[in-house]
Amino acid sequence: MNLYISNPLCLLHDNGNDHPETAERITRIQDQLISAQMFDWFHHKESRAANNDEIALAHHPRLIEHIENSLPKEGVVEISEDVNLCPDSMSAARYAVGAVLDGIDAVHNDNYKRVFCSVRPPGHHAEYDEAQGFCLFNNVAIGAAYAIEKLGYERVAIIDFDVHHGNGTESFVRKQPKAWFASSFEHPLYPFTDPKSDINNMVKIPLEKYSNGEVFRQAWSEQGLPGLVAFKPELILISAGFDAHALDPLANLQLHENDFAWITSEIGKIADKYCHGKIVSVLEGGYDLGAVSVSAREHIRTLFELD
Ligand SMILES: [Zn+2]
C-alpha cells in the first residue's frame, strides 16, 4: 500500500504577492489526483510537526533560532534573497519536515512501500546554517540524517530531478558518507554550483539550457542510474521538483510529464531490486501550476504503481 502525506498548515507559508512558490501548488496537485480518480487508491495522512532536535539533524540550531526570531507578527518579511517569512512559516516548515520523517517511519516499519510528501516550503537549497532559494529547512537531508542516525540505515540514496541543483543536499552529503546523492539540473542556472562531481557519494548531471526529455533520459541512464545500482541503497529519497517541465517559468529545460514518469519508473525498478521497493518522494519546485500538478500526478501514478 502507498501513502500520501501532507498537512493543511503547509499551505499557510506565504511568500507575498506575485511570488511563484504558492500554496496553490499543493492544492492543484491534490485536485489533479482527485479529478483523475486516483485519490482513493492510496492512504492519506496529515504529517506531524518536526521538533528542533529533529531539524538539527541537518541544521545548526542557530538557523532554527534565527528563523523563529525573524517571524513577523503580520505580513511578509524577506530575511535573505529568495527567502520570505510570514507568521506561519515556521509552523509550515515543521510540518513539511515532519511529513518526511513520518514517510520514512512508514516505509521503515513496513506499513507502506511508497510515500509521496506533498509539502512546502521546499528544501533542497537550504544549507546547514542558512535558508536559501524559497527553502527554510532541507526536508530531504533531514530525512536522510534521521534514517541514518535514528534508524541505523547504512546507505540512503537521494535522487533529485528538480531543475535547480540541490546545493544544500550537496553540502549535507559531503559530511555524510552513508548518503549518496545524484542530481540532474540545468546548468548554468541558480544556485550556480560547480557542475563537477568531485566526491564518491555524489553524481552531478548538468544539462544545457533547452535539453529535452531524450537528453534527460540518456544522461540519467548513463550517469545517475548506474551509480544508484552500484550504491545498493537501503532506502531511496526523491527530491521531486517539476520545474524542469517545458512550461515552467523559472527555467529552460524541455521535459514533459512522461519524462517524470520515466525517471520514477526507473528508480522504482532499482528500489524493488535493492530495498524492498522503499521510496519516500518529497515535493520540491515546480512553478507552472498546470505543469507541476500534472507532472506530480504522473509521478505519483508511477510511484504508486496505479496503472
Ligand atoms: Zn527548482
Side-chain angles (χ1 to χ4, degrees):
M1 195 55 192
N2 304 302
L3 180 63
Y4 178 92
I5 308 180
S6 193
N7 194 297
L9 289 162
C10 289
L11 304 179
L12 298 182
H13 174 58
D14 181 5
N15 281 294
N17 292 336
D18 299 325
H19 195 283
E21 203 289 288
T22 61
E24 213 183 339
R25 299 171 59 241
I26 288 184
T27 55
R28 287 281 290 268
I29 290 172
Q30 190 161 320
D31 289 348
Q32 273 293 339
L33 295 169
I34 292 167
S35 60
Q37 302 191 321
M38 290 163 59
F39 208 63
D40 294 333
W41 291 92
F42 42 83
H43 289 170
H44 316 112
K45 179 183 167 69
E46 283 192 4
S47 63
R48 64 188 171 93
N51 62 38
N52 287 1
D53 288 344
E54 289 166 334
I55 295 170
L57 287 167
H59 290 287
H60 197 294
R62 191 170 54 214
L63 174 63
I64 305 169
E65 217 172 282
H66 172 57
I67 290 176
E68 288 274 18
N69 294 338
S70 305
L71 294 171
K73 292 252 182 312
E74 56 183 50
V76 174
V77 292
E78 186 177 36
I79 57 164
S80 60
E81 200 184 344
D82 292 330
V83 180
N84 301 299
L85 299 178
C86 74
D88 296 307
S89 294
M90 186 69 189
S91 168
R94 285 189 189 281
Y95 285 96
V97 174
V100 182
L101 304 181
D102 277 346
I104 291 171
D105 283 338
V107 297
H108 176 70
N109 296 328
D110 287 327
N111 295 328
Y112 294 93
K113 180 175 164 188
R114 305 275 166 88
V115 178
F116 184 76
C117 301
S118 199
V119 294
R120 58 185 289 278
H124 71 158
H125 296 306
E127 295 277 356
Y128 180 64
D129 57 1
E130 194 183 350
Q132 284 184 19
F134 313 167
C135 303
L136 301 185
F137 303 122
N138 195 322
N139 306 319
V140 158
I142 296 167
Y146 176 78
I148 292 164
E149 292 180 32
K150 301 292 180 189
L151 303 178
Y153 283 74
E154 292 289 327
R155 294 183 308 282
V156 177
I158 303 169
I159 302 287
D160 185 335
F161 50 75
D162 188 281
V163 80
H164 304 98
H165 184 251
N167 55 292
T169 309
E170 168 176 348
S171 300
F172 169 74
V173 302
R174 283 186 180 279
K175 294 185 297 190
Q176 179 47 271
K178 294 180 179 178
W180 179 90
F181 179 43
S183 166
S184 60
F185 53 96
E186 180 177 332
H187 176 76
L189 187 71
Y190 178 86
F192 302 102
T193 38
D194 187 330
K196 279 198 306 291
S197 310
D198 61 344
I199 51 172
N200 288 335
N201 61 331
M202 179 173 67
V203 177
K204 289 181 180 174
I205 308 174
L207 301 170
E208 279 179 22
K209 204 174 180 175
Y210 308 130
S211 294
N212 62 15
E214 199 181 327
V215 173
F216 174 82
R217 293 180 192 209
Q218 190 178 350
W220 273 100
S221 298
E222 290 173 359
Q223 301 170 55
L225 298 171
L228 179 61
V229 169
F231 182 63
K232 296 187 172 59
E234 294 172 322
L235 172 66
I236 299 175
L237 308 180
I238 301 179
S239 269
F242 301 102
D243 41 9
H245 194 285
L247 293 176
D248 197 274
L250 299 195
N252 312 287
L253 294 191
Q254 300 291 317
L255 302 196
H256 294 281
E257 45 274 23
N258 59 357
D259 297 309
F260 297 114
W262 174 83
I263 182 92
T264 307
S265 166
E266 295 301 307
I267 298 166
K269 286 182 220 164
I270 296 170
D272 284 341
K273 190 161 176 197
Y274 293 102
C275 52
H276 309 287
K278 291 177 186 182
I279 300 175
V280 177
S281 178
V282 184
L283 182 66
E284 296 279 1
Y287 304 102
D288 177 272
L289 292 171
V292 68
S293 55
V294 169
S295 300
R297 182 195 72 201
E298 292 312 299
H299 169 66
I300 292 166
R301 187 197 299 280
T302 310
L303 184 72
F304 290 178
E305 302 168 299
L306 294 177
D307 280 333

